[in-house]
Amino acid sequence: MDRKNSIEYTLLSRCYNPGEEDKVIEILEQRYAADGNYKNYLVLKPTDNATVVERKTLQEMATNFLHDSRSARIRNGMKENKYSASKTRNEFKLFIKETQKAQETLLRKISKLPKGTDPSQFPEFKKVLKFEEFIGLNALWEEYARDVLYPAGETGEDPLNLMTKITSMDLIGSFLTVVKSNNFNMVGLCGIVAWESQHNFLVVVPRLDGWKGEVNGLGDAEPSKKSFSWRETIGGMRIINKKNTLFQLKVPTKDASQYIPFTIVGNRFQIKSHERASRKFKAHNVRDL
Amino acid sequence: MLCDLNIPWPVASYNQRPTMLQVHSLKQILCTLEELGYSQVAFNFELIPPNKVPNDTKTPNPIDLSLFKEFKGRIKLYTRITLVIDDPSQCQGLSKLTRAFDIIAVRPRSERALQLAVSSLECDLITFNYGERLPCYLKHKTVCSAIEKGILFEIVYCAAVDGPAGSISTDNGITDAGISRKHFFNGVASLIRASRSRGLVISSGATNPLLCRNSYDVINLLTVLGLASSTSKQCVSSSPAKVLLNGTLRIRSYKQTAAIGDEPLAGGVGSASERGNSVSHFKRKLEDNTVLQRQKKKLSS
């Protein structure tokens, strides 16, 4: 079957019995052939009082436009509804909210069960973000980081140069670890950045144990830790405030055999990522660090 | 964490090296400070105008911390430079020094120099010679704008404890030590007034072990001078730590946004300037035991 006609094929196949596929294929082949029974032209015939109708419809269209509520609002300089669900921003917000809700519900349900229960049996588990799905994004980011930090002809041995570039880099897709935070629950959290806003990092964290493959490697994520909390076993999305938080970012070296650790000062990163790229930074009082 | 950010380096110029005797006396001071409970100590190299930073030098830092290897793990040592400025034209070689010293301090000797240090110099500390009169009347606006920017002011108490004890009356009325003490109390009182008791750091400036004081003695001295006891506690502990953090960030980060290395920023491993400015120092081996690596492996298998 021709791939490009797949939609037409499925539509047409509904009109015929299951045995008659070759008929459908025949129609499709003739549809785009130069000499077939089915021609691809549109028949336009004049209707009665064509000119009058045309004028009327134009006028109607114009009045319709003038009285249409949406366009009227635009003309009057009124704002569009910023809570409209069709806006991308709101859709994203809704997505975050739903994912968080699913995570919380799953946590509530699973915490009543004995340890080691498989969370995938619950329907909410489908909505929780999976760390594995974001590993591809991380690989893309590492490639991007290497392109940005070590352009052709540069050794990448000047720390100041590297740090300047890190500051203006996009961090979506990078693997961040919280080193220090005023919120001690966040310390040690690590994951791939899915989104960066002005004040927060949206991070996807891995499931630490108690689920399938991770059961065998129990405890070697952090060898000192014997058991994980329910929240850690579910993983998923975390929103980390940048304020009063230090992040560690590991960047591969030029030959990718080693890595260079960087410490990101969250307080100084409270800028939207697209503004950060072109911003001139200034040293400030360190009383908040 | 107690800090003493001012132990004068015995040599005043770049060409000389400290003699064995001088190094020995520095070690004695360090031992005394350790006994008194200090954990962070900075050597202060003072650059007085006729001496200049040599143009062609590859090592703008004359302080050799490798002489004090036995203090490793006991006291964290830092290096500091104090630029003595009379006139704004004197501080052109500053950019060379910014990444070589842990702390950059300025000692202005005129009002214009103080104004310059506050407004445009990239420094961490402003200090004065408390054995003499202050160079000018300290205005609240000048001092507080510096503190707002993160430049703190230093009080050096050796002017108050040096010299013979008590007031010995001679033919001239008072001895030299008495005069220096008088200037000290005057100067510090006006600094406390101008800074509204914010952003002050106290350090010893001790040239011999006898001039070092216990932190409680220092706090007591400051309380006598009119600081609240909680603020005077900050002068020996948290404020100097801020100065050190500011210095560390100046060396290791780009405008305090992203810093290189995985050592903690505050109360770090010791002199950042000692380790040079090359990336290779910060490189680490890839571990395959991290969460990310294991997840990757699981996915590929």
Side-chain angles (χ1 to χ4, degrees), chain B residues 43 101 167:
Chain B
F43 286 121
F101 289 89
S167 58

Side-chain angles (χ1 to χ4, degrees), chain A residues 163 214 220 259 261 263 265 268, chain B residues 252 256-257 259 261 284 294:
Chain A
M163 287 185 295
E214 210 58 38
D220 67 37
Y259 71 85
T263 311
V265 182
R268 302 284 185 268
Chain B
R252 263 177 51 189
Q256 305 176 342
T257 48
R284 298 282 178 277
R294 278 187 303 114

Side-chain angles (χ1 to χ4, degrees), chain A residues 207-242:
Chain A
R207 287 181 297 281
L208 282 182
D209 77 335
W211 187 75
K212 291 189 179 171
E214 210 58 38
V215 175
N216 303 333
L218 193 141
D220 67 37
E222 291 168 71
S224 57
K225 218 170 171 183
K226 284 288 177 297
S227 67
F228 295 96
S229 72
W230 280 114
R231 198 177 281 279
E232 281 169 319
T233 59
I234 292 171
M237 189 181 72
R238 297 280 185 281
I239 296 172
I240 305 176
N241 207 332
K242 288 181 190 175

Side-chain angles (χ1 to χ4, degrees), chain B:
Chain B
M1 189 176 77
L2 298 175
C3 310
D4 190 345
L5 298 186
N6 191 349
I7 298 298
W9 189 246
V11 174
S13 79
Y14 273 92
N15 328 341
Q16 290 168 290
R17 290 179 64 78
T19 58
M20 288 303 284
L21 202 67
Q22 284 167 330
V23 172
H24 182 69
S25 123
L26 280 179
K27 280 179 185 170
Q28 278 180 332
I29 294 175
L30 285 182
C31 282
T32 321
L33 286 174
E34 192 192 9
E35 196 67 23
L36 295 177
Y38 289 88
S39 59
Q40 327 260 333
V41 175
F43 286 121
N44 178 19
F45 176 71
E46 201 158 71
L47 199 68
I48 302 170
N51 295 322
K52 269 186 189 167
V53 185
N55 285 327
D56 54 335
T57 182
K58 285 193 182 78
T59 51
N61 193 343
I63 300 171
D64 188 8
L65 287 183
S66 60
L67 293 170
F68 304 95
K69 269 183 187 142
E70 65 261 43
F71 289 96
K72 204 173 182 185
R74 292 154 68 190
I75 288 185
K76 282 174 190 162
L77 294 173
Y78 299 89
T79 56
R80 153 179 165 177
I81 188 166
T82 305
L83 299 161
V84 181
I85 302 175
D86 293 305
D87 178 34
S89 63
Q90 282 165 348
C91 40
Q92 276 152 4
L94 189 64
S95 58
K96 268 182 285 181
L97 303 169
T98 45
R99 310 200 99 221
F101 289 89
D102 292 302
I103 306 167
I104 292 181
V106 168
R107 176 146 74 85
R109 285 208 293 207
S110 66
E111 183 157 20
R112 274 179 72 203
L114 175 66
Q115 204 57 257
L116 175 87
V118 168
S119 59
S120 56
L121 278 187
E122 204 181 324
C123 61
D124 310 314
L125 260 185
I126 294 177
T127 184
F128 298 102
N129 187 355
Y130 290 94
E132 296 165 5
R133 270 174 70 93
L134 291 184
C136 60
Y137 177 76
L138 296 178
K139 286 183 200 139
H140 168 233
K141 203 179 155 193
T142 327
V143 173
C144 275
S145 74
I147 291 166
E148 198 59 30
K149 270 179 72 183
I151 303 171
L152 303 193
F153 282 81
E154 189 194 33
I155 299 167
V156 187
Y157 64 77
C158 78
V161 292
D162 206 354
S167 58
I168 303 160
S169 43
T170 54
D171 302 340
N172 302 331
I174 327 166
T175 56
D176 271 346
I179 290 171
S180 102
R181 242 165 258 153
K182 187 188 94 182
H183 286 311
F184 173 81
F185 283 107
N186 254 334
V188 174
S190 68
L191 185 62
I192 289 173
R193 176 195 50 74
S195 66
R196 307 286 192 265
S197 33
R198 275 173 287 176
L200 297 176
V201 173
I202 188 157
S203 51
S204 70
T207 42
N208 73 59
L210 282 177
L211 295 180
C212 302
R213 287 293 179 274
N214 187 348
S215 65
Y216 290 104
D217 284 347
V218 173
I219 291 168
N220 182 42
L221 175 68
L222 288 172
T223 338
V224 167
L225 282 161
L227 275 183
S229 59
S230 62
T231 347
S232 23
K233 184 96 203 287
Q234 282 176 9
C235 294
V236 267
S237 55
S238 64
S239 302
K242 261 181 221 163
V243 175
L244 287 173
L245 174 63
N246 201 357
T248 323
L249 279 174
R250 179 165 39 72
I251 295 174
R252 263 177 51 189
S253 77
Y254 168 69
K255 303 287 179 196
Q256 305 176 342
T257 48
I260 197 165
D262 50 1
E263 293 108 4
L265 294 174
V269 271
S271 173
S273 57
E274 194 190 4
R275 288 168 296 140
N277 291 323
S278 125
V279 171
S280 54
H281 178 85
F282 296 104
K283 282 180 186 168
R284 298 282 178 277
K285 260 188 198 141
L286 277 175
E287 306 137 10
D288 19 299
N289 208 14
T290 60
V291 178
L292 183 66
Q293 296 291 336
R294 278 187 303 114
Q295 293 274 2
K296 269 186 190 168
K297 230 178 256 173
K298 210 173 66 187
L299 214 68
S300 60
S301 64

